[in-house]
Amino acid sequence: MSSVSSPVSFSQLAPEYIRAISPYVPGKPISELAREMGLNEADILKLASNENPLGMSPKAQSAVTAAVAELARYPDGNGFALKQALSRRLGVGQESFVLGNGSNDVLELIARAFLTPGKSGVYSQYAFAVYPLAIQSIGARCIEVPARNFGHDLAAMADAVGADTRVVFLANPNNPTGTFHSGEAIESFLKLVPQDVIVVLDEAYNEYMSPEQRYDAVPWLQRYPNLVLSRTFSKIYGLAGLRIGYAAAHPDIADMMNRVRAPFNANSLALVAAEAALDDEEFLQRSYETNRAGMAQIIKGLDALGLQHIPSAGNFIAFKVGDGAGVNVRLLKQGVIVRPIAGYGMPEWLRVTISTEAENARFLDALAAALKA
Ligand SMILES: *Cc1c(COP(=O)(O)O)cnc(C)c1O
């Protein structure tokens, strides 16, 4: 569509801090690549957004199908049933939960409730791109702390907290690097941060941690009332398209977040699907095992190609190819979508989502061909 000429420069009407935002670049959708390359959608392999290769939990699918009949109704704006299920599972009171349109929504609610221009938010270099977006959209100041070995430098992050800092964002494991800190390291960090600074521990990939890595942050909510846990149904639960995530926090923090929340931010289908997925142990276990086997397969393949990679605790891995943009284009031509991470300041790297054995093998073949070209 050609744009209508206007005597007003609308971008000039927006505050400078909004104009300064660089838009989030999502993984390329299958339909878009199919159009661009003249390929069949069915032949395209998308490994760009850390989605579950097994699809969604069958229990969640049944719940969604049953709930379709009621779509003329507004959702339960308080998400009572899902909060009750979360409360039972986590052993935390329902008043501690905030539901989000994806956990992305939750991250923005924290920024909106606790940041203003003149305040600052802290996060690490190479951390999830939504943190600076959430901070900047409020007009607050971003404090990006240089990473260490691609991971969070927790001591430096604690040092970076200033008098005007209200929020610290921390992803464990982190995306796009997959880097991980032990439970002890995270708890030591919590001890270093002043009580009046909110620490958001983003656990989007929590369920993919190995038994040796596994720690439980939920009891910390008692010891560190400034802690906010953020979790999602988009990754291992396989519900990315429905958009549902949640925060668990001190009830007063949850209260402030709920005040700035859109009244029906979590939709009816998402609510019932999440509730069903939460208890689908069989699907979760199968997803975990698929990722574990797939990770080993991909690492072996990357090693065989002589490519450097960053040890990952998630369902994806970042690897170094040199010319990230060039290799990406040659993968796209073969119908394989991975994630370039130049936007994160890693132009020599690509990130791939771990998938099933057959899809991993196809990716590795395509990568070998893309490196030769
Ligand atoms: C994918 C991801 C999220 C959340 O995504 P939603 O779909 O909005 O729930 C949050 N944090 C990190 C680090 C992620 O990678």
Side-chain angles (χ1 to χ4, degrees), residues 87-170:
S87 176
R88 239 185 290 119
R89 174 154 288 250
L90 272 63
V92 174
Q94 289 185 42
E95 64 287 355
S96 282
F97 291 101
V98 180
L99 302 181
N101 189 259
S103 60
N104 196 326
D105 190 23
V106 160
L107 301 172
E108 284 175 25
L109 294 178
I110 293 161
R112 214 178 311 149
F114 294 101
L115 290 173
T116 56
K119 301 298 178 191
S120 65
V122 169
Y123 58 90
S124 173
Q125 181 187 19
Y126 309 131
F128 189 42
V130 168
Y131 310 149
L133 278 176
I135 297 166
Q136 257 188 301
S137 68
I138 305 298
R141 185 165 62 91
C142 290
I143 301 179
E144 183 176 300
V145 179
R148 218 170 103 183
N149 297 326
F150 294 103
H152 295 64
D153 184 339
L154 295 174
M157 286 180 75
D159 282 344
V161 170
D164 64 1
T165 302
R166 282 281 174 279
V167 183
V168 177
F169 289 102
L170 194 67

Side-chain angles (χ1 to χ4, degrees), residues 24 49-50 101-105 107 127-128 130-131 171-176 202-205 230-235 239-240 243-246 316 351:
Y24 180 81
S49 302
N50 304 341
N101 189 259
S103 60
N104 196 326
D105 190 23
L107 301 172
F128 189 42
V130 168
Y131 310 149
N172 199 46
N174 182 52
N175 170 23
D202 180 345
E203 298 193 314
Y205 302 95
S230 164
R231 292 189 180 166
T232 183
F233 289 94
S234 298
K235 305 289 157 59
L239 301 176
R243 316 301 306 127
I244 181 90
Y246 66 94
F316 57 87
R351 188 196 72 194

Side-chain angles (χ1 to χ4, degrees), residues 164-372:
D164 64 1
T165 302
R166 282 281 174 279
V167 183
V168 177
F169 289 102
L170 194 67
N172 199 46
N174 182 52
N175 170 23
T177 56
T179 48
F180 173 78
H181 289 278
S182 69
E184 295 87 71
I186 300 287
E187 191 173 6
S188 301
F189 175 76
L190 290 172
K191 291 193 176 115
L192 294 175
V193 178
Q195 292 279 314
D196 61 354
V197 174
I198 290 172
V199 178
V200 182
L201 182 58
D202 180 345
E203 298 193 314
Y205 302 95
N206 176 54
E207 302 82 0
Y208 286 108
M209 291 189 288
S210 67
E212 310 82 66
Q213 291 170 326
R214 192 149 284 282
Y215 64 92
D216 183 6
V218 173
W220 295 344
L221 291 169
Q222 299 296 325
R223 263 172 275 160
Y224 309 97
N226 56 328
L227 174 64
V228 178
L229 293 182
S230 164
R231 292 189 180 166
T232 183
F233 289 94
S234 298
K235 305 289 157 59
I236 204 165
Y237 292 99
L239 301 176
L242 277 173
R243 316 301 306 127
I244 181 90
Y246 66 94
H250 187 282
D252 293 349
I253 293 180
D255 179 23
M256 292 303 121
M257 291 170 66
N258 274 316
R259 289 182 197 208
V260 293
R261 186 175 61 79
F264 302 106
N265 65 330
N267 73 76
S268 320
L269 300 183
L271 290 171
V272 295
E275 193 188 340
L278 199 58
D279 289 329
D280 195 343
E281 298 292 346
E282 193 275 329
F283 179 76
L284 288 178
Q285 189 58 31
R286 199 152 43 89
S287 300
Y288 174 83
E289 296 297 344
T290 301
N291 188 62
R292 226 168 100 107
M295 182 67 86
Q297 181 188 2
I298 295 280
I299 286 175
K300 199 169 157 214
L302 294 174
D303 285 342
L305 292 168
L307 299 178
Q308 186 190 343
H309 46 83
I310 304 172
S312 171
N315 66 339
F316 57 87
I317 188 165
F319 57 96
K320 192 173 183 182
V321 292
D323 176 14
V327 173
N328 181 50
V329 168
R330 295 194 286 277
L331 284 169
L332 289 173
K333 285 186 177 149
Q334 299 175 78
V336 176
I337 312 176
V338 298
R339 184 60 158 272
I341 47 177
Y344 284 90
M346 298 173 70
E348 298 184 328
W349 297 73
L350 295 171
R351 188 196 72 194
V352 66
T353 302
I354 307 303
S355 189
T356 57
E357 187 177 359
E359 293 192 347
N360 293 334
R362 179 175 162 200
F363 157 71
L364 289 168
D365 284 348
L367 180 60
L371 290 169
K372 270 192 223 117

Side-chain angles (χ1 to χ4, degrees), residues 28-37 39 41 44 337:
K28 191 186 268 294
I30 288 174
S31 54
E32 187 179 313
L33 181 64
R35 279 197 304 276
E36 283 175 9
M37 300 279 175
L39 297 168
E41 290 195 13
I44 291 173
I337 312 176

